[in-house]
Amino acid sequence: MAHALAAPPLGSDLRPVMGSAGIPYVGRSMQYIRDPLALWRQQERRYGQVSWHTMAGRRVVLVLGADGCEEILTNRDKAFSNALGWRPLIGPFFDNGLMLMDLGEHRHHRRLLQQAFTKDRLASYAAAMEPLIARTVQEWDSSEHFEVYPAVKSLTLGLATEVFMGGVRDGDTRLDAVNKAFVDCVQAATSIVRLDVPGGRWRRGLKGRRFLEDFLRDYLPDRRRGDGRDLFSVLAHLEDDDGERFSDDAIIDHMIFLLMAAHDTSTITISTMVDQLGRHPEWQEECRRQSLAAGPDVSAPAARAGLTALDAVMKESLRMLAPLPTMARWTVRDTVIRGHHVPADVMVVATPHYTHHDPTYWSNPEVFDPTRFDGRALPHKFAWQPFGGGVHTCLGQFFSAIEITMVLHHLLRHHTWSVPADRATPIDFTSLPYPKDGQPVRLQRRS
């Protein structure tokens, strides 16, 4: 039975947010994990583009459509808190990362962190990644059942530790444990039982966070003393206008969040691109033609400029599967979304993944069509938002695009691959989306 979340103010022409809780405590969590688009379309049919339900015992206002997404992400009346929105989900694992900051604190830390993502810094990171990507991708063997996702995840974590951390000491065998710790932290966000109980996902996340802290603190003194060009070293030496540097705790917090964002989201996008190119050989061949013409090393911007087909494929893949399907906020006071009265102290989620599949803006949205990104203007400013919007737009989006392009470039030059057209890739939305079956493809080395 539908209920109003809260009554609008007397005398106003605002509409109430309608919805229903779902299964006690669990709410709509399991429906979201199985198929978020199906859940959202069901909500839209019943209640419209602004509705409410519960997730793990918490009331959530669900906002669908580009216009609602714009209202939330631009946050013009400062009614939405980023930190309070994400903290209930990932706070114990990624607190004090840039995504969990607001207003003045966010501006201060973002200005400092931007120094780590200048054009010169990005060029340095690209040069460091080039030989690592080339060597790793060339070593992938032909296989009738090559699992893309774990192979790419291992590669991107290696890149993150090398480029962001400056590498690890010889004999340090903790990288597999680091990868597991990140997975545990990310998956803990959707725990139904949010308690530190044996065997629970929440506990695994807490243990993962402690492991990552210990791992990074072990390397921090070296980065403070050195003059490396990796992100860890850069953060250890950044200064604001008053000459103040990040504290040790702030560096650890930022590194944990940035390392997660750097390898998890890139992995998802690379995985989606490989999947789609395996199903669309004509696009794979066009991308390969441009990569062969560009030469082996595309670490420089001028070399990547000719990879226009690959750029379009990347953008269309981000549309098909956004690495961050929802973006959480928290109302710090009563506000209005699309003419609906939304009370203070509730979670609100914008849904880029829904907008990316909205036929209002995208014709045949379930069809892979990179020509959508041939230089034409977007059908709506917020019709495509894989990196968020407003002041919280992803700081690392250009680094991510460089990394993704370079991995696919080398894969195209050295391999061909195919995916059976009739085999759907099962996506798990428990936390960040990923292929449940490891995403097997038929991989062959090029002669």
Side-chain angles (χ1 to χ4, degrees):
M1 183 179 295
H3 299 280
L5 181 65
L10 289 175
S12 78
D13 58 356
L14 298 177
R15 287 168 286 168
V17 178
M18 302 300 294
S20 57
I23 299 171
Y25 187 75
V26 174
R28 308 292 183 188
S29 302
M30 301 311 297
Q31 289 177 266
Y32 175 86
I33 290 170
R34 285 194 297 270
D35 189 341
L37 281 175
L39 168 63
W40 297 338
R41 287 166 179 160
Q42 179 189 75
Q43 287 284 120
E44 183 179 24
R45 287 193 300 271
R46 290 179 177 176
Y47 312 115
Q49 291 201 328
V50 181
S51 64
W52 73 273
H53 55 56
T54 60
M55 299 279 281
R58 181 178 295 105
R59 296 180 303 167
V60 177
V61 175
L62 174 68
V63 181
L64 305 172
D67 290 327
C69 191
E70 180 175 12
E71 289 185 18
I72 293 169
L73 298 184
T74 55
N75 194 18
R76 291 187 178 92
D77 63 355
K78 304 295 187 293
F80 304 110
S81 166
N82 221 64
L84 295 177
W86 286 112
R87 195 162 287 142
L89 301 173
I90 60 173
F93 321 109
F94 299 106
D95 211 0
N96 299 316
L98 193 62
M99 196 167 75
L100 283 83
M101 292 181 175
D102 287 315
L103 303 175
E105 181 185 38
H106 174 262
R107 284 194 299 272
H108 174 70
H109 281 255
R110 189 178 179 96
R111 275 200 299 266
L112 275 173
L113 287 170
Q114 281 173 334
Q115 299 176 49
F117 292 94
T118 62
K119 287 184 178 181
D120 287 345
R121 297 286 189 195
L122 290 173
S124 173
Y125 302 153
M129 286 192 292
E130 168 63 33
L132 298 172
I133 294 172
R135 181 174 66 248
T136 302
V137 172
Q138 288 180 50
E139 290 174 352
W140 288 348
D141 287 327
S142 298
S143 172
E144 294 292 318
H145 195 85
F146 180 80
E147 292 196 355
V148 174
Y149 186 79
V152 172
K153 200 168 197 321
S154 176
L155 169 59
T156 57
L157 179 62
L159 292 172
T161 53
E162 184 66 33
V163 176
F164 278 23
M165 280 193 58
V168 296
R169 304 183 193 104
D170 290 342
D172 192 333
T173 59
R174 291 177 288 179
L175 280 187
D176 285 344
V178 168
N179 196 12
K180 182 180 183 303
F182 277 119
V183 171
D184 289 343
C185 287
V186 170
Q187 291 192 346
T190 52
S191 300
I192 301 298
V193 179
R194 295 171 175 267
L195 298 171
D196 187 4
V197 295
R201 190 183 296 160
W202 195 257
R203 169 172 281 193
R204 291 197 296 272
L206 295 174
K207 288 178 62 178
R209 168 71 192 206
R210 290 193 293 269
F211 179 87
L212 292 172
E213 286 185 6
D214 292 343
F215 176 75
L216 291 169
R217 286 188 193 281
D218 185 22
Y219 282 88
L220 182 54
D222 290 343
R223 301 305 183 263
R224 287 283 200 196
R225 290 190 296 267
D227 57 357
R229 295 182 62 80
D230 57 279
L231 180 67
F232 203 1
S233 297
V234 171
L235 293 185
H237 293 90
L238 287 179
E239 294 183 353
D240 62 18
D241 294 338
D242 298 321
E244 292 191 16
R245 294 183 175 182
F246 281 135
S247 67
D248 286 2
D249 288 345
I251 292 173
I252 298 300
D253 291 335
H254 283 307
M255 281 296 298
I256 289 175
F257 178 76
L258 290 170
L259 280 168
M260 179 276 294
H263 89 279
D264 258 348
T265 56
S266 293
T267 298
I268 293 163
T269 304
I270 293 168
S271 173
T272 305
M273 292 173 70
V274 172
D275 186 53
Q276 293 296 343
L277 289 176
R279 298 173 187 277
H280 299 88
E282 72 283 4
W283 277 101
Q284 186 179 147
E285 284 307 310
E286 176 59 17
C287 290
R288 179 173 294 109
R289 182 187 68 79
Q290 292 185 357
S291 281
L292 292 172
D297 186 345
V298 292
S299 56
R304 294 192 300 274
L307 306 181
T308 55
L310 194 55
D311 182 67
V313 167
M314 177 173 61
K315 290 173 179 174
E316 175 68 346
S317 297
L318 284 164
R319 185 194 68 80
M320 296 288 287
L321 184 61
L324 197 60
T326 64
M327 298 176 184
R329 301 292 188 267
W330 191 270
T331 55
V332 295
R333 59 175 175 275
D334 289 6
T335 190
V336 178
I337 302 175
R338 304 288 292 138
H340 292 76
H341 168 69
V342 179
D345 294 324
V346 295
M347 183 177 288
V348 175
V349 293
T351 50
H353 187 55
Y354 171 89
T355 311
H356 292 179
H357 291 262
D358 187 348
T360 304
Y361 304 108
W362 307 101
S363 61
N364 299 316
E366 306 312 316
V367 173
F368 177 76
D369 181 11
T371 64
R372 303 178 201 272
F373 297 94
D374 59 2
R376 284 174 288 176
L378 289 173
H380 185 292
K381 184 179 178 181
F382 279 75
W384 186 80
Q385 289 294 315
F387 300 106
V391 298
H392 284 280
T393 300
C394 176
L395 187 64
Q397 63 176 299
F398 299 111
F399 170 84
S400 179
I402 292 169
E403 178 184 32
I404 291 165
T405 299
M406 291 171 67
V407 171
L408 264 295
H409 170 75
H410 284 284
L411 184 61
L412 287 159
R413 287 178 59 84
H414 295 287
H415 298 82
T416 63
W417 65 95
S418 61
V419 179
D422 60 349
R423 186 185 68 79
T425 299
I427 301 298
D428 189 316
F429 286 90
T430 301
S431 51
L432 299 180
Y434 70 96
K436 290 187 285 190
D437 62 353
Q439 195 194 333
V441 302
R442 185 174 184 266
L443 188 72
Q444 290 183 300
R445 286 184 183 274
R446 295 185 69 248
S447 58

